[in-house]
């Protein structure tokens, strides 16, 4: 569910849940259970809901590294065709995962597509990589 909301890889989703658990002072399992309960219309403890909302928002917020730092984007720009292919694959896997969140193959496909997009765009998060890919594809040739 976190992977579809943020969007992010499984590893990043675990980090989001861990951050929410730390902020709300409950176990990660309790945060995950509260999230599932909330998706079914059941009440979620307010402190867990707030912590989860903050953790998801932090994961969605792009990190803008300073020029000259190790995470700053330098080097070659990926080919437009490869970027379009990776972004399309990511969006398709995202749609598949949102349709079947419990399907193991859908999660694996989402992780693979997210990782590929991050590496291709040289960005630390899927959200930033997707934004960079869209910006590259919308730029004039």
């Amino acid at each position: 569910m976190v992977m579809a909301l943020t969007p992010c890889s499984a590893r990043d989703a675990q980090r989001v849940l861990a951050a929410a658990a730390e902020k709300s002072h409950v176990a990660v399992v309790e945060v995950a259970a509260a999230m599932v309960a909330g998706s079914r219309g059941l009440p979620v403890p307010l402190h867990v809901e707030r912590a989860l909302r903050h953790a998801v928002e932090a994961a969605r917020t792009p990190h803008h590294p300073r020029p000259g730092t190790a995470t700053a984007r330098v080097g070659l720009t990926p080919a437009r065709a490869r970027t379009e292919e990776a972004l399309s694959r990511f969006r398709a896997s995202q749609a598949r995962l949102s349709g079947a969140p419990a399907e193991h193959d859908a999660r694996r496909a989402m992780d693979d597509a997210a990782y590929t997009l991050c590496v291709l765009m040289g960005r630390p998060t899927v959200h930033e990589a997707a934004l960079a890919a869209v910006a590259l594809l919308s730029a004039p040739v």
Side-chain angles (χ1 to χ4, degrees):
M1 292 174 76
V2 173
M3 291 168 63
L5 282 173
T6 304
C8 63
S9 66
R11 182 178 297 150
D12 288 339
Q14 289 172 339
R15 289 182 186 138
V16 168
L17 289 174
E22 184 177 328
K23 188 172 184 84
S24 62
H25 305 291
V26 298
V28 173
V29 174
E30 292 178 56
V31 173
M35 189 171 190
V36 171
S39 73
R40 294 181 178 157
L42 300 173
V44 177
L46 187 59
H47 69 288
V48 174
E49 182 182 349
R50 284 182 183 157
L52 191 55
R53 189 178 315 121
H54 287 288
V56 167
E57 187 59 36
R60 284 181 175 172
T61 303
H63 170 72
H64 297 290
R66 289 177 282 147
T69 62
T71 57
R73 177 92 167 106
V74 294
L76 300 174
T77 303
R80 292 176 68 87
R82 181 66 180 117
T83 302
E84 188 171 356
E85 175 190 326
L87 185 60
S88 295
R89 184 172 160 233
F90 170 72
R91 287 179 173 161
S93 65
Q94 187 178 25
R96 180 179 172 197
L97 182 64
S98 68
E103 187 182 319
H104 178 71
D105 289 341
R107 281 184 278 150
R108 174 179 256 153
M110 176 70 169
D111 275 348
D112 289 347
Y115 177 79
T116 300
L117 191 61
C118 284
V119 170
L120 182 68
M121 300 310 298
R123 297 296 196 271
T125 67
V126 177
H127 186 68
E128 289 178 66
L131 291 175
V134 169
L136 176 69
L137 293 172
S138 62
V141 179

